[in-house]
Structures are given as structure tokens and as C-alpha cells.
């Protein structure tokens, strides 16, 4: 699809310097050359060998470079070093480069082709094989060879072919061959039939690189013409024109002798007409590019997260429901939402789950005292203990059962109480019992319905009472009043305290539903 050419003639290698690896082949584009070296070296030694000729280990940032590797390997087995080295203590499989960095010092790429593997740590580098898969490898271990990359601001196109006048080229990094798309500066072209050697160098006047000025030679009385870099002989055999002049290429045109090749930018591929470019669906071609959702875009792709997740530094992280939760004390994420909880000594409000109220599950608990206001507070159903010292103030439970709220039986509970009815009765509210009535009209402790007594006859007529009876009734009422007064005084003295030191409520069944009690702490 990219129109890269494989050298047609066998490679002729320059005599290598002692102890120096020699290249086995190369592919050159307009601004880049890639060379393969088959020599068992560790990563550092391979990197130094590339740098000796002004290059570096190969970076594979697009499918163009991948196709160049396929042409260089020619199905030959073995693993070759790429210019990738782990820049973090351990690999990150979810990232495109897994935490690796190019030897050029950046992590920019539009392409990756890793062999699936788990997380690993230590000194790790990357190799590539004929399957074009990238594999992690210890940097100190020798690989079968390495790939070098050489970058140039400009290049010279190969000379146009002529019958009986083949040209042989030689690159600055030691590769010879007869077929290149382009040649880097410093390359030479030898035409044996003419005894002519040309050099790719900058033309005078800042005109860019060229093999040399157009000239004409007459060996054997037969003239032949040649053109400068980037030009091809016209139909008349004398004029020079660019092979890409008027080419229908949508993105890029690469001179290829007397013709041209169309190439596309990263994220695109050549259409069947070999001139226009169409978008590559990266998400379909390379599954697993994104952690959750992959959205193809024109010339690239975009990673997104599912509902309930957000993108954080390239990773999809769950969105915490507690960010907007109204919990007073604590919050924890649970499936489908959040749950509020309270700190020790507090409990979740039964009607408002986000609020916390003071709570005590014993008959006596330390009070909640404020250091600013010098007031102490107790949970509902508790009062401050008058016997507490100023250093430690306690709340004691109110025994509502001593107040006679229940008709029948009563069970005191921390901060509350519960009424129970005898057999044959049922609670009609929190405190009162009512006798149950069976279908035959008798009382029962089994199934029942609420029954309201209905008089079967009118009340008896009023009769005049004897004066002695009236005196007895009056004395009984007076005695009962005195007894109730004494009991009330005793209870008030025991459970309550003067209003100047504590606010409280007493005397009704609803006092257990009181709010927080407080007392001002008197400084010593």
C-alpha cells in the first residue's frame, strides 16, 4: 500500500571496520533511511553502532516504518532491537507504549504492535521479529541484530534508468545496491558504462541536494543527457521535469525514477486507485487500543470511558458517588450509589440517612461537651448525671418504666422504652392496652378484633347519698392527693434538677422523644 521498493540487485557490503557490525540492507525514503544489522549485541552496544554513523535505533511511529521493516527482514527469522527502552520502574500494559520511551527521548507515536504480555519490572527494551510483533526483552541480553534509523532534511532521488547504463549506489552508512527510492546526502552513484561517479550534495546557491548539474557526455560519439536531483528526462531525451508534476496523489508524491509513488499520512491507506487516501479504522484493525471504548476518527482514534467512569491520565477510573453525597460524617461507595455512616458515638438518623445524631446503647455514656461553649449534650432519652465531675461528664438513661407510662408491662431500653400487654390485650398506641374480643363476644389471647364496649341498658337513676358516705369519699380523695404529691416530689428530686442548671421535660409519656439535653460546664 505504501509503495516501498525492495532492492533488486544483491547487496554489496562495504568492508567493515574491525569489530564493527556491517549493514545487510537498507530502505530509504525522502527524509529517512532504515538499515538492518545482523550482529548479536546487547541494546547499549547496538545503540552505539547506530550512533557512529549519525543515526539511532529505529523508531516505529507509523505503518510506513512497519512496512520498511517487513521489506528489510524478508521473512528472515530472529529478533532485532528497536529504539524502545523502559522509562519507568515497571511496564504499564494499558498504555500504548507500556511506559517505554524512544531513544530520541519522547513517547510520541501513532502506532504500536505489542506481543501480549503481563506487567514486568527492571531493565527492559523492545525487539521486533518477522511477524512484526514487538516483544519485551532484558536490555543486557544480546538480540540477533538491530535496526538503525538515519534522518535527513533532504535527499537525492535515484537516477532515471537508461538502457545499458545501470547505476550502483553507496550510502554513507555502508550499504551498496542498485535500487533505492531516495539517497541520503553523502551517497554516491557510480555509472560504470560512462566511467562517471556522482555525489549527492548541496547545490550551489542554496538549491537543495542534487547529484550534480545537467551535463552531456559523448562516449563513442553517442551523447547522453542526465538531470539534477528531483528531475527526470522528458520525452525528447533532453528536457528535465519532476516525476510528481501533475501527479494525482491526494497526500504525498514520492519520485520513483521516471515515475512516482503516492503515499498517505499516518492513519490513512491508499485507496484502490493508488492515488487517493482513505481513513483506516484503527479500532477495528488493532483491537485493544483503548481500555474501554475506542472511537475511530478521521486519521486517528479516540479513547473514551463507559458511563460511571472518567479518564484520568489515560486510564478509566470509576467516578465516586461520594463526591456529591450529602453525608455529614462518612461516605463509602456501594454498587449503584453511596452509603452514609457515622463516627463512633453517633448513629444515622432514622428519617434522614445523611445526618448523624448522638447515640448510646448502654445505660451510661460520656457526654458530648463543647470546649468553646462549655455546654454538654446527651442523646435523646438521656440526661446529664449531676454526680459527674467537671473532667468527665456522663449521660444516664431515663428509666421511663418508673414513670408509669405503660398500662400493663414495661421494658426499659437505652434511650427508649417498650410497653407490653397481658394475654388477651393488644397495644392500641405506644402506651395503652385494649382487651381483644373473639367472635362469640368473650375475651381471648388468640385472634382478635378491637372491641369498644356498648351499654346494653341506660344508666341507673341518680339517688341521694347518705351524709356519712360523702364524708368518707372526701377523706379518701384527700389521702390519695397527699400520697400522689409525696410520690411526685420524690421523683422530681431524684430525676430532675433546678432549671438554672439543666433544661428537662418530665411528667408525660412523650418525654422520651426529647431533644439533646445540655448543661453549662462551670470552670474550676
Amino acid at each position: 500500500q505504501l509503495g516501498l521498493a525492495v532492492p533488486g540487485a544483491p547487496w554489496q557490503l562495504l568492508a567493515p571496520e574491525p569489530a564493527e557490525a556491517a549493514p545487510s540492507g537498507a530502505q530509504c525514503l525522502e527524509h529517512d533511511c532504515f538499515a538492518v544489522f545482523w550482529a548479536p549485541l546487547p541494546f547499549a552496544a547496538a545503540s552505539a553502532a547506530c550512533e557512529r554513523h549519525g543515526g539511532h535505533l529505529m523508531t516505529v511511529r507509523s505503518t510506513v516504518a512497519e512496512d520498511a521493516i517487513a521489506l528489510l527482514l524478508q521473512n528472515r527469522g530472529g529478533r532485532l532491537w528497536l529504539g524502545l527502552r523502559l522509562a519507568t520502574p515497571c511496564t504499564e500494559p494499558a498504555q500504548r507504549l507500556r511506559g517505554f520511551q524512544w531513544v530520541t527521548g519522547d513517547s510520541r507515536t501513532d502506532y504500536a504492535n505489542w506481543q501480549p504480555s503481563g506487567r514486568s519490572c527492571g531493565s527492559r527494551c523492545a525487539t521486533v521479529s518477522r511477524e512484526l510483533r514487538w516483544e519485551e526483552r532484558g536490555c543486557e541480553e544480546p538480540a540477533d541484530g538491530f535496526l538503525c534509523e538515519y534522518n535527513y532534511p533532504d535527499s537525492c532521488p535515484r537516477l532515471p534508468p537508461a538502457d545499458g547504463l545501470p547505476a550502483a549506489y553507496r550510502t554513507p552508512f555502508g550499504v551498496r545496491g542498485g535500487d533505492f527510492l531516495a539517497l541520503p546526502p553523502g551517497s554516491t552513484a557510480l555509472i560504470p558504462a560512462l566511467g562517471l561517479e556522482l555525489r549527492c550534495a548541496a547545490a550551489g546557491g542554496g538549491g537543495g541536494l542534487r547529484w550534480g548539474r545537467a551535463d552531456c557526455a559523448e562516449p563513442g560519439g553517442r551523447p547522453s543527457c542526465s538531470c539534477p536531483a528531483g528531475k527526470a528526462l522528458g520525452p525528447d531525451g533532453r528536457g528535465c521535469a519532476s516525476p510528481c508534476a501533475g501527479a494525482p496523489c491526494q497526500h504525498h508524491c514520492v519520485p520513483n525514477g521516471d515515475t512516482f509513488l503516492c503515499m498517505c499520512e499516518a492513519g490513512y491507506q491508499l485507496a484502490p486507485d493508488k492515488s487517493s487516501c482513505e481513513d483506516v479504522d484503527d479500532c477495528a484493525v488493532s483491537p485493544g487500543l483503548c481500555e474501554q471504548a475506542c472511537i475511530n476518527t478521521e486519521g486517528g482514534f479516540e479513547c473514551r470511558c463507559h458511563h460511571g467512569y472518567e479518564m484520568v491520565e489515560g486510564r478509566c477510573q470509576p467516578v465516586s458517588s461520594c463526591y456529591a453525597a450529602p453525608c455529614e460524617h462518612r461516605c463509602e461507595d456501594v454498587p449503584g450509589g453511596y452509603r452514609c455512616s457515622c463516627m463512633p458515638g453517633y448513629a444515622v438518623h432514622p428519617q434522614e440517612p445523611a445526618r448523624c445524631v448522638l447515640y448510646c446503647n448502654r445505660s451510661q455514656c460520656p457526654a458530648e461537651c463543647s470546649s468553646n461553649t462549655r455546654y454538654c449534650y446527651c442523646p435523646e432519652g438521656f440526661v446529664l448525671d449531676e454526680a459527674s465531675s467537671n473532667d468527665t461528664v456522663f449521660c444516664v438513661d431515663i428509666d421511663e418504666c418508673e414513670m408509669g407510662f405503660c398500662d400493663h408491662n414495661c421494658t426499659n431500653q437505652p434511650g427508649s422504652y417498650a410497653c407490653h400487654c397481658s394475654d388477651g390485650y393488644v397495644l392500641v398506641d405506644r402506651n395503652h392496652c385494649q382487651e381483644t374480643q373473639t367472635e362469640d363476644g368473650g375475651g381471648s389471647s388468640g385472634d382478635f378484633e378491637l372491641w369498644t364496649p356498648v351499654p346494653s341498658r341506660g344508666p341507673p337513676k341518680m339517688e341521694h347519698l347518705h351524709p356519712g358516705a360523702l364524708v368518707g369519699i372526701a377523706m379518701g380523695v384527700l389521702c390519695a392527693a397527699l400520697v400522689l404529691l409525696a410520690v411526685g416530689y420524690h421523683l422530681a428530686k431524684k430525676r430532675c434538677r433546678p432549671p438554672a442548671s439543666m433544661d428537662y421535660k418530665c411528667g408525660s409519656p412523650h418525654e422520651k422523644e426529647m431533644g439533646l439535653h445540655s448543661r453549662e460546664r462551670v470552670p474550676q
Side-chain angles (χ1 to χ4, degrees):
Q1 294 177 344
L2 298 173
L4 294 176
V6 181
W11 295 105
Q12 300 178 10
L13 303 181
L14 289 175
E17 297 177 7
E20 179 174 316
S24 300
Q27 284 290 320
C28 292
L29 301 178
E30 186 175 0
H31 298 291
D32 307 289
C33 281
F34 309 105
V36 57
F37 295 76
W38 292 100
L41 298 176
F43 182 89
S47 180
C50 294
E51 293 170 359
R52 274 194 289 271
H53 293 286
H56 54 76
L57 285 172
M58 185 174 180
T59 62
V60 187
R61 305 176 191 268
S62 67
T63 54
V64 175
E66 180 190 53
D67 289 344
I69 294 176
L71 294 173
L72 289 172
L73 295 185
Q74 291 287 294
N75 295 323
R76 180 173 174 177
R79 289 169 173 76
L80 305 173
W81 288 120
L82 292 176
L84 274 176
R85 180 170 44 207
L86 184 61
T88 58
C90 297
T91 59
E92 297 292 343
Q95 297 181 8
R96 173 171 284 188
L97 285 183
R98 297 188 178 183
F100 282 72
Q101 190 178 61
W102 298 114
V103 291
T104 53
D106 66 286
S107 301
R108 179 178 55 85
T109 187
D110 293 320
Y111 173 79
N113 192 20
W114 289 101
Q115 180 76 21
S117 63
R119 194 167 186 260
S120 58
C121 303
S123 177
R124 309 292 291 173
C125 298
T127 62
V128 65
S129 61
R130 64 182 177 185
E131 291 80 18
L132 304 181
R133 284 284 195 177
W134 302 358
E135 297 180 21
E136 299 176 15
R137 190 183 185 94
C139 299
E140 297 78 14
E141 303 174 19
D144 300 309
F146 53 95
L147 294 162
C148 291
E149 177 181 344
Y150 306 90
N151 307 118
Y152 308 98
D154 201 356
S155 61
C156 292
R158 70 176 185 177
L159 297 172
D163 293 338
L165 298 173
Y169 302 96
R170 182 177 59 191
T171 66
F173 43 87
V175 177
R176 288 185 177 184
D179 194 358
F180 285 90
L181 292 178
L183 279 300
S187 299
T188 58
L190 179 64
I191 307 175
L194 299 178
L196 181 65
E197 182 174 345
L198 302 176
R199 183 176 180 84
C200 177
L209 296 179
R210 56 179 293 173
W211 289 113
R213 64 181 182 83
D215 55 13
C216 181
E218 297 185 8
R222 184 168 59 89
S224 66
C225 296
S226 61
C227 296
K231 303 292 182 179
L233 282 172
D236 59 0
R238 294 182 299 173
C240 295
S242 171
C244 288
C249 298
Q250 183 178 355
H251 285 181
H252 302 290
C253 177
V254 178
N256 184 25
D258 58 354
T259 183
F260 62 89
L261 296 173
C262 293
M263 298 181 67
C264 299
E265 295 178 355
Y268 294 84
Q269 61 184 3
L270 277 176
D273 61 6
K274 300 300 181 182
S275 59
S276 58
C277 297
E278 58 186 15
D279 177 55
V280 175
D281 189 344
D282 302 276
C283 299
V285 172
S286 302
L289 286 175
C290 297
E291 188 175 5
Q292 290 188 357
C294 180
I295 307 299
N296 186 60
T297 60
E298 188 70 21
F301 66 94
E302 180 181 348
C303 291
R304 296 181 183 175
C305 299
H306 298 322
H307 178 71
Y309 291 79
E310 61 181 349
M311 187 69 70
V312 179
E313 297 180 356
R315 302 287 300 274
C316 290
Q317 303 290 347
V319 177
S320 175
S321 302
C322 289
Y323 288 159
C327 300
E328 257 186 4
H329 285 187
R330 296 171 177 171
C331 177
E332 61 177 322
D333 289 296
V334 296
Y338 64 91
R339 178 169 56 211
C340 297
S341 60
C342 300
M343 293 185 290
Y346 290 82
V348 175
H349 193 285
Q351 282 78 40
E352 301 178 48
R355 286 186 53 205
C356 292
V357 294
L358 283 171
Y359 172 73
C360 178
N361 60 354
R362 303 188 303 274
S363 60
Q364 177 177 292
C365 290
E368 183 79 10
C369 297
S370 171
S371 59
N372 297 326
T373 62
R374 297 181 298 171
Y375 280 93
C376 294
Y377 304 91
C378 287
E380 293 184 4
F382 288 77
V383 293
L384 289 169
D385 186 2
E386 286 298 312
S388 302
S389 67
N390 287 323
D391 293 333
T392 304
V393 181
F394 287 94
C395 299
V396 294
D397 176 48
I398 300 173
D399 189 354
E400 292 85 358
C401 292
E402 292 184 358
M403 300 179 182
F405 295 151
C406 301
D407 281 352
H408 289 180
N409 303 316
C410 177
T411 301
N412 186 56
Q413 299 171 346
S416 183
Y417 69 97
C419 294
H420 312 281
C421 297
S422 303
D423 291 343
Y425 289 83
V426 65
L427 276 174
V428 293
D429 55 30
R430 184 175 185 184
N431 303 306
H432 301 95
C433 297
Q434 179 173 294
E435 185 179 10
T436 58
Q437 181 70 22
T438 60
E439 293 182 357
D440 59 1
S444 171
S445 60
D447 297 335
F448 60 87
E449 297 179 351
L450 293 178
W451 172 74
T452 304
V454 179
S456 60
R457 62 178 179 176
K461 295 180 179 180
M462 181 178 297
E463 297 181 358
H464 294 286
L465 295 176
H466 191 277
L470 292 176
V471 173
I473 292 173
M475 292 298 292
V477 171
L478 180 59
C479 291
L482 291 174
V483 171
L484 291 176
L485 182 60
V487 172
Y489 175 77
H490 175 73
L491 291 176
K493 182 178 181 181
K494 179 180 179 181
R495 290 297 178 188
C496 304
R497 57 191 177 96
S501 61
M502 180 184 72
D503 295 328
Y504 63 92
K505 300 179 182 178
C506 0
S508 77
H510 305 290
E511 288 181 1
K512 199 63 171 185
E513 307 297 331
M514 68 176 69
L516 298 179
H517 296 267
S518 64
R519 166 177 92 166
E520 183 176 6
R521 301 184 65 183
V522 179
Q524 297 297 317

